[in-house]
Amino acid sequence: MTQLLFTTNPGLEDVVAAEFEERVAAAGLGETAVSLKPFDLDGQVMVDNPASMADLWPLAQQMRSVYHVIRPLHVFDLPDTEPLARIRQVVGELDIAEMETAVSFRATGNRTGEHEFTSVDVQRVAGAALVEKYGTAVDLTGYEVDVRLDVIQQRCWVGLQLTRVRLSKRQTRVYTPMAALKTVLAYAMLRFARLDDGSGGLLDPFCGSGTILIEAAQSFPDLPLYGSDAFPKPVQGTADNMAASGVGGQAQLIQADARDLRDHYEPGSMRAIVTNPPFGVRLGRRSDFRHLYSNFLQGAHRILEPGGRLVVLVGRRRAFNFILDKVGGFHLAHVRIVETGGIYPAIFVLERRQRET
Ligand SMILES: C[S@@+](CC[C@H](N)C(=O)[O-])C[C@H]1O[C@@H](n2cnc3c(N)ncnc32)[C@H](O)[C@@H]1O
């Protein structure tokens, strides 16, 4: 039995489970036992599969809904008094086969909750215990083994982080604006769009640096892609990022305001629109937000195929709901809140109604 822990954005745990199960089934490996948010850990998914690590590791490395892959070693509760001494003791008692032969290691990890110590303190005491036990040198950059310790409230997780670089780093980016979407979120949104159905193209009308289009191109090399942005710099930046990522030429890119979609795209020509408009904080007046979103929704409705999907990441979900109600024409397939960079936007999955009611 092999156990792996995957990290993702809180709110996408079920997406990780579904992706892993699909990959395992396609590889003909056995049934997976899945635990979403084990021990209430947001953004984490634990899987147990009868296959060997040698069989599962290539699948784990292909995961698109995941940042890091960890092999869990041990979980324990921290006492109120002298928690660092307890961490040092428990880590010193663990048998970690990889540490026996490693030339170097590092201890890393995160801390969530109220504590009188920092994550650096945790790494320092755990590192000291491992040096004492195995005599292995610490090397923060050239390490061979990455021992990860996550303290969440009163619980400490110890594992080996198997991914050196986040799996989400799969795009070559030469244009890097601040507000770029994480590839993991882009992947989840594209899944919700059900791109296997329909005959038209996929549009991102607020394309920014092209994250969604590149993610789509990497998974659907034959899908016609369309991207637009109101400003010339993001349009050029998307073209440059697509070319640098090896998918240049798959998307038709134009400068266009997302309020005027019907002027640029044929009615019923898109099977899906997947997009991440500005969250609203920089849009200034409330009426600007309402104007942008209601015009965008009306245009999206017109250019989508009947049954086509609009998947949109929204910062102000109550205001968006209100506008959605007013505009009509869409069925709300589902909505979920995700965490990204300390904020909690919602992914709305809307389906263009087959017939107007
Ligand atoms: C949050 S960013 C999109 C980020 C993108 N998903 C990425 O990963 O880089 C929003 C984008 O919307 C564009 N934008 C703002 N108002 C617009 C409008 N009315 N029509 C089209 N694009 C607009 C901005 O220029 C910006 O590039």
Side-chain angles (χ1 to χ4, degrees):
M1 194 59 100
T2 305
Q3 189 171 62
L4 294 173
L5 187 72
F6 294 120
T7 66
T8 189
N9 292 86
L12 295 183
E13 296 86 357
D14 60 324
V15 176
V16 174
E19 185 191 4
F20 187 70
E21 281 168 345
E22 277 166 22
R23 292 190 185 281
V24 162
L29 301 176
E31 287 269 302
T32 307
V34 177
S35 167
L36 304 182
K37 304 191 202 179
F39 300 100
D40 287 334
L41 290 177
D42 280 343
Q44 311 227 354
V45 178
M46 181 115 84
V47 295
D48 280 277
N49 187 284
S52 67
M53 185 59 134
D55 283 338
L56 288 178
W57 179 232
L59 303 191
Q61 282 178 295
Q62 289 166 21
M63 293 287 288
R64 301 187 81 89
S65 56
V66 158
Y67 293 96
H68 280 298
V69 184
I70 297 161
R71 187 156 73 75
L73 294 174
H74 191 58
V75 189
F76 61 100
D77 286 335
L78 294 175
D80 291 336
T81 54
E82 306 210 28
L84 289 174
R86 175 87 179 127
I87 291 172
R88 184 174 176 138
Q89 180 210 340
V90 172
V91 171
E93 286 168 5
L94 286 178
D95 285 325
I96 308 176
E98 288 79 352
M99 285 294 292
E100 301 281 356
T101 51
V103 173
S104 59
F105 82 102
R106 72 169 188 178
T108 48
N110 301 322
R111 188 187 59 79
T112 313
E114 299 255 317
H115 304 103
E116 284 181 358
F117 55 84
T118 65
S119 54
V120 175
D121 293 329
V122 174
Q123 291 154 25
R124 181 175 45 77
V125 295
L130 293 166
V131 169
E132 195 176 294
K133 178 159 181 176
Y134 297 100
T136 310
V138 173
D139 184 341
L140 295 182
T141 50
Y143 59 88
E144 207 175 304
V145 174
D146 193 356
V147 181
R148 180 161 166 162
L149 294 109
D150 288 325
V151 173
I152 295 124
Q153 312 304 347
Q154 289 307 107
R155 191 160 275 146
C156 182
W157 280 73
V158 190
L160 295 185
Q161 186 165 296
L162 305 179
T163 32
R164 230 182 160 81
V165 178
R166 285 167 178 241
L167 296 178
S168 55
K169 283 203 158 194
R170 49 183 175 250
Q171 302 190 353
T172 308
R173 303 173 67 81
V174 287
Y175 171 65
T176 54
M178 288 274 288
L181 190 68
K182 299 259 192 294
T183 56
V184 163
L185 270 169
Y187 169 79
M189 291 170 70
L190 289 163
R191 267 185 85 98
F192 300 148
R194 298 212 185 125
L195 293 170
D196 290 326
D197 289 347
S199 53
L202 165 74
L203 168 69
D204 178 357
F206 296 90
C207 68
S209 59
T211 314
I212 292 171
L213 294 172
I214 298 169
E215 187 67 24
Q218 289 173 342
S219 298
F220 299 90
D222 299 322
L223 181 64
L225 300 177
Y226 300 85
S228 45
D229 198 286
F231 303 97
K233 220 168 148 186
V235 176
Q236 187 57 48
T238 294
D240 293 345
N241 283 346
M242 291 195 81
S245 298
V247 292
Q250 196 180 329
Q252 290 185 32
L253 304 171
I254 56 168
Q255 185 182 342
D257 194 306
R259 287 171 289 201
D260 309 325
L261 292 181
R262 60 182 79 201
D263 296 344
H264 301 282
Y265 303 102
E266 291 298 314
S269 60
M270 299 294 163
R271 78 177 67 180
I273 297 173
V274 178
T275 199
N276 160 213
F279 276 174
V281 268
R282 295 205 196 96
L283 282 173
R285 291 179 300 131
R286 219 148 49 136
S287 58
D288 296 341
F289 181 86
R290 203 176 316 139
H291 182 243
L292 171 67
Y293 276 80
S294 59
N295 282 290
F296 161 57
L297 282 172
Q298 285 166 26
H301 185 269
R302 189 171 168 84
I303 67 169
L304 275 171
E305 295 170 1
R309 286 197 156 193
L310 167 60
V311 181
V312 56
L313 188 70
V314 174
R316 287 156 64 173
R317 67 178 181 280
R318 283 180 57 193
F320 182 76
N321 250 324
F322 178 79
I323 297 163
L324 188 59
D325 244 26
K326 284 249 176 289
V327 172
F330 287 100
H331 160 71
L332 178 59
H334 95 247
V335 61
R336 67 171 65 206
I337 294 170
V338 292
E339 190 268 340
T340 175
I343 54 172
Y344 294 84
I347 300 175
F348 279 78
V349 181
L350 308 172
E351 229 164 64
R352 193 198 138 165
R353 288 192 196 283
Q354 298 285 346
R355 236 178 273 115
E356 288 316 301
T357 47

